[in-house]
Amino acid sequence: MSRQPTFTNIIHLRDFIDAITDDPTRENAPNYIEIQTDINIFEEDGFCSPNIIAEPIRTRIHVYLTQEERDLYVSNTFFYAEGRFSTALSTDDTLEINIQTLSLMRYYRRHLPEQWCPMATVIGSVLSRNDNSLDPSELRHFTVETSVYDTSKAAPVQFSVVCFLENTNRWKRVKTPPSGTFLSVTAKVAGRTAGTNHLALRVLDLAYLPKPVSAAATPTPTATPPSKRSSRWEGRAAPSTPSKRLRLLEPANDAADPSEMDTTPPEPKRGGSDLNTEHNTNSPSARPSPSIIANAEDSSLTSVPSLTSDSATRPHRNRHLPKKYAELD
């Protein structure tokens, strides 16, 4: 099911209250108020066009007020209001502006500001039109279609506004936005258009925007990404306890070439605590303990290839035995 996109179209106005009543769009809600006023339109800087009718526009402002606050907003009170707005035609084909107030403030008589036209910001798409039908003497203009969400109706309200460009040096080289363009327009309310009864806006600034994604398009299903915490353990090796024998064999593969090593056997040291070779091999009491043999096997020297040929006798290392074995000598 397609869904009409909604935008945040904002209007700023300040004028006098004509009447204040309970909001007819909200039943059994006494604190919801409707302020009625005909906002005044003023011609500025000679901006005029036969396609624009500069007359007051009927406006209905929906706002939430407590009873104490409501007593402050009486007829002929000057106020400022800001809120989301939309336009529609009443039963007598009169243009109306409906505002859902975001901010409301009253002025005292001694602090009345100068005359000022309402300002609006509208976001929407440019409708197609025939440029050949425009009179070159008239102001260039384009129609923007937009919509806002109406909370009282719980549905989007679609409407259009007509934007006019001045015949000034600022806008002389600016091209009229083509149809289908998505943009944001900041403008002053200039009145209503003749014949179509659309809100007429005098453009102050415009900006091109990227087109929104259509709500009717079916989103492409995407796979749920795996949890980052669980993926941390991927690629790890299986837990195992390497044997001591494998550790001893691995360095042997990376050992240096025997031809590059020093093959001169070490000189036996002469000292009172040293044992001769014959005594080491023949005396059972002088043999080292099993723990010493195990430590010798763990040494990296066991992984070094033999420095002599198979027919010759392997050289013996002179080791200093622990003191308790040296006393047996």
Side-chain angles (χ1 to χ4, degrees):
M1 180 179 179
S2 63
R3 179 183 176 185
Q4 177 70 27
T6 58
F7 307 104
T8 305
N9 301 312
I10 300 296
I11 191 171
H12 307 262
L13 62 90
R14 55 193 186 195
D15 217 301
F16 294 91
I17 296 176
D18 294 333
I20 181 168
T21 62
D22 293 337
D23 193 341
T25 61
R26 296 178 181 272
E27 298 180 356
N28 301 324
N31 288 338
Y32 283 92
I33 309 302
E34 181 183 274
I35 297 176
Q36 300 174 6
T37 181
D38 290 344
I39 59 174
N40 294 291
I41 306 298
F42 307 99
E43 294 184 1
E44 296 180 326
D45 302 331
F47 178 82
C48 61
S49 171
N51 293 326
I52 300 176
I53 302 176
E55 294 181 351
I57 301 175
R58 184 181 302 171
T59 304
R60 301 180 184 273
I61 304 171
H62 306 275
V63 60
Y64 180 90
L65 294 177
T66 62
Q67 187 61 45
E68 292 77 9
E69 294 171 336
R70 182 173 178 175
D71 295 338
L72 300 176
Y73 293 89
V74 296
S75 179
N76 209 30
T77 299
F78 192 85
F79 70 95
Y80 166 83
E82 170 192 354
R84 294 186 297 268
F85 81 100
S86 62
T87 63
L89 294 178
S90 61
T91 54
D92 56 355
D93 291 335
T94 302
L95 179 66
E96 286 188 354
I97 300 177
N98 292 286
I99 302 175
Q100 302 172 46
T101 306
L102 301 176
S103 176
L104 182 66
M105 181 176 62
R106 67 187 292 265
Y107 284 86
Y108 292 96
R109 282 287 181 177
R110 60 181 179 270
H111 297 299
L112 290 182
E114 62 183 7
Q115 295 178 348
W116 180 76
C117 288
M119 294 185 62
T121 301
V122 179
I123 300 175
S125 300
V126 178
L127 295 181
S128 60
R129 60 184 177 82
N130 186 5
D131 292 337
N132 297 328
S133 62
L134 294 179
D135 187 348
S137 62
E138 295 180 1
L139 297 176
R140 292 182 297 156
H141 60 274
F142 55 93
T143 302
V144 175
E145 184 180 36
T146 184
S147 63
V148 296
Y149 185 80
D150 191 343
T151 56
S152 62
K153 300 179 180 178
V157 177
Q158 185 175 353
F159 64 100
S160 300
V161 297
V162 181
C163 303
F164 290 83
L165 300 175
E166 293 183 86
N167 289 329
T168 58
N169 292 333
R170 178 183 180 184
W171 300 102
K172 185 178 297 183
R173 296 184 179 181
V174 177
K175 295 182 179 180
T176 304
S179 60
T181 304
F182 189 66
L183 46 75
S184 171
V185 177
T186 301
K188 284 189 175 183
V189 178
R192 58 185 177 89
T193 57
T196 58
N197 252 349
H198 287 158
L199 189 67
L201 300 179
R202 174 190 177 186
V203 177
L204 301 177
D205 192 16
L206 61 85
Y208 291 88
L209 304 175
K211 291 184 178 181
V213 179
S214 176
T218 303
T220 305
T222 56
T224 304
S227 173
K228 291 183 179 181
R229 297 185 63 85
S230 60
S231 62
R232 294 174 182 174
W233 304 101
E234 294 179 358
R236 287 180 175 267
S240 61
T241 304
S243 62
K244 186 178 297 184
R245 182 180 298 276
L246 292 178
R247 288 205 309 269
L248 294 176
L249 292 178
E250 288 176 359
N253 296 331
D254 299 334
D257 188 358
S259 62
E260 299 179 359
M261 300 178 62
D262 187 7
T263 57
T264 304
E267 280 287 335
K269 294 183 179 180
R270 302 298 179 181
S273 60
D274 292 340
L275 299 179
N276 57 34
T277 304
E278 182 180 359
H279 184 77
N280 279 336
T281 54
N282 297 331
S283 177
S285 60
R287 293 181 181 178
S289 65
S291 62
I292 298 178
I293 297 176
N295 293 334
E297 291 179 355
D298 290 343
S299 174
S300 60
L301 295 176
T302 59
S303 61
V304 180
S306 175
L307 302 180
T308 60
S309 61
D310 295 339
S311 59
T313 304
R314 183 174 180 176
H316 295 276
R317 290 187 304 148
N318 290 329
R319 295 182 58 87
H320 295 281
L321 296 180
K323 186 176 181 180
K324 61 180 180 177
Y325 294 109
E327 294 175 353
L328 299 177
D329 188 11

